[in-house]
């Protein structure tokens, strides 16, 4: 059982819908991340939060809007998405952003499989 | 643009054989290297890390690093069907600072019983 929980597991939405993905970590970590995983592409880092402050926005379109109300929770708000946004969205956490090494590995959630119709 | 390259596979090996997974990276200044395993429908999990040139062994897994050739590999000895998964190579370009990991596309391994 992962210490990082994501809901929902699956989501189908139309291009005009607004939905949110939720991530919660029970590991006491300080850094949280959103990744996008598409078929035949590398994991793409989208956003990074460290101690609730956004430290990285990896040129992500504004139709994706992250929110981090506290160190344990992370949201990804979605609106007016495109079919090419269909992918697996993975949340991850690590103890410390600055030491992404063996003593601070990424812990991933099981992801939300998003389909945009 | 920092890149991590992996052969997407699938790599098929018979049970009991050695599986060899390879990864190259473009940033010569990269300092730390990781292998994550991802089962179908599951999240990636860290299985090995290596910082120094040479070999590092952990059970049936051996990571090999050659910084001069910008090459890192993962060997799995006595491969089992349960090793069938996608293996993601990840590189931390720098040891300090807010530097997120750069991932490769992953190599899909299939161990045939």
């Amino acid at each position: 059982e992962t210490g990082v929980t994501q809901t929902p597991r699956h989501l189908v939405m139309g291009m005009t819908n607004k939905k949110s993905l939720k991530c919660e970590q029970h590991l006491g970590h300080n850094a949280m991340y959103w990744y996008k995983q598409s078929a035949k592409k590398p994991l793409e880092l989208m956003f990074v939060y460290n101690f609730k402050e956004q430290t990285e926005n990896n040129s992500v379109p504004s139709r994706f809007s992250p929110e981090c109300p506290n160190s344990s929770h992370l949201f990804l708000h979605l609106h007016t998405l495109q079919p090419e946004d269909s992918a697996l969205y993975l949340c991850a956490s690590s103890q410390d952003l600055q030491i992404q090494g063996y003593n601070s590995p990424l812990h991933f959630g099981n992801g939300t499989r998003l389909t945009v119709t | 643009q920092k890149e991590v390259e992996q052969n997407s596979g699938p790599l098929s090996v018979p049970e009991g054989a050695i599986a060899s997974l390879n990864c190259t990276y473009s940033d010569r200044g990269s300092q730390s290297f990781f292998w994550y395993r991802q089962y179908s429908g599951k999240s990636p999990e860290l299985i090995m890390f290596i910082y120094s040139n040479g070999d590092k062994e952990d059970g049936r897994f051996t990571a090999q690093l050659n910084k001069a050739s910008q090459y890192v590999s993962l060997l799995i000895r006595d491969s089992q069907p349960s090793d069938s998964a996608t293996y993601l190579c990840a590189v931390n370009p720098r040891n300090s600072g807010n530097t997120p990991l750069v991932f490769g596309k992953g190599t899909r391994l299939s161990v045939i019983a």
Side-chain angles (χ1 to χ4, degrees):
Chain A
E1 179 66 31
T2 178
V4 180
T5 304
Q6 288 187 244
T7 55
R9 291 296 306 274
H10 300 274
L11 178 62
V12 179
M13 60 186 288
M15 289 189 284
T16 59
N17 290 157
K18 289 184 180 181
K19 297 287 184 184
S20 295
L21 309 185
K22 179 182 176 183
C23 176
E24 183 175 1
Q25 57 99 357
H26 312 277
L27 301 169
H29 288 169
N30 298 316
M32 295 188 77
Y33 313 76
W34 279 116
Y35 282 88
K36 176 182 178 183
Q37 189 173 37
S38 304
K40 300 183 180 179
K41 287 187 176 181
L43 269 173
E44 299 174 53
L45 179 66
M46 300 176 72
F47 301 104
V48 182
Y49 279 82
N50 196 35
F51 292 97
K52 302 187 298 178
E53 298 298 321
Q54 184 173 318
T55 61
E56 183 125 358
N57 176 339
N58 210 23
S59 302
V60 180
S62 59
R63 57 186 184 271
F64 295 92
S65 174
E67 179 189 358
C68 188
N70 55 60
S71 294
S72 299
H73 293 85
L74 186 64
F75 296 90
L76 187 62
H77 303 299
L78 316 171
H79 63 97
T80 60
L81 294 192
Q82 304 299 311
E84 60 265 28
D85 296 323
S86 299
L88 180 68
Y89 288 84
L90 289 165
C91 174
S93 70
S94 67
Q95 181 62 53
D96 190 320
L97 172 62
Q98 291 182 321
I99 310 177
Q100 282 194 58
Y102 69 96
N103 56 346
S104 182
L106 290 172
H107 291 255
F108 286 90
N110 281 329
T112 295
R113 174 68 62 185
L114 174 67
T115 303
V116 181
T117 61
Chain B
Q1 180 76 10
K2 300 179 177 63
E3 292 184 348
V4 176
E5 299 287 340
Q6 293 182 257
N7 188 324
S8 60
L11 172 67
S12 296
V13 300
E15 184 176 359
I18 296 175
S20 177
L21 306 163
N22 304 316
C23 173
T24 59
Y25 57 94
S26 62
D27 185 357
R28 183 168 289 278
S30 298
Q31 297 292 325
S32 47
F33 308 85
F34 307 87
W35 285 99
Y36 281 78
R37 177 178 61 199
Q38 186 174 21
Y39 290 113
S40 180
K42 300 294 185 182
S43 57
E45 57 177 333
L46 180 67
I47 56 170
M48 284 289 288
F49 62 90
I50 187 166
Y51 294 169
S52 304
N53 275 328
D55 294 359
K56 178 181 178 183
E57 188 174 317
D58 183 2
R60 294 187 297 113
F61 298 100
T62 299
Q64 299 176 317
L65 175 61
N66 184 326
K67 289 186 178 180
S69 300
Q70 295 174 233
Y71 175 96
V72 59
S73 65
L74 178 70
L75 302 179
I76 307 175
R77 289 183 300 283
D78 188 23
S79 297
Q80 301 297 310
S82 58
D83 295 325
S84 298
T86 296
Y87 290 81
L88 305 173
C89 175
V91 175
N92 191 343
R94 294 290 183 271
N95 264 344
S96 62
N98 299 342
T99 310
L101 293 180
V102 179
F103 283 85
K105 295 180 184 180
T107 298
R108 188 156 59 91
L109 172 67
S110 178
V111 180
I112 311 300

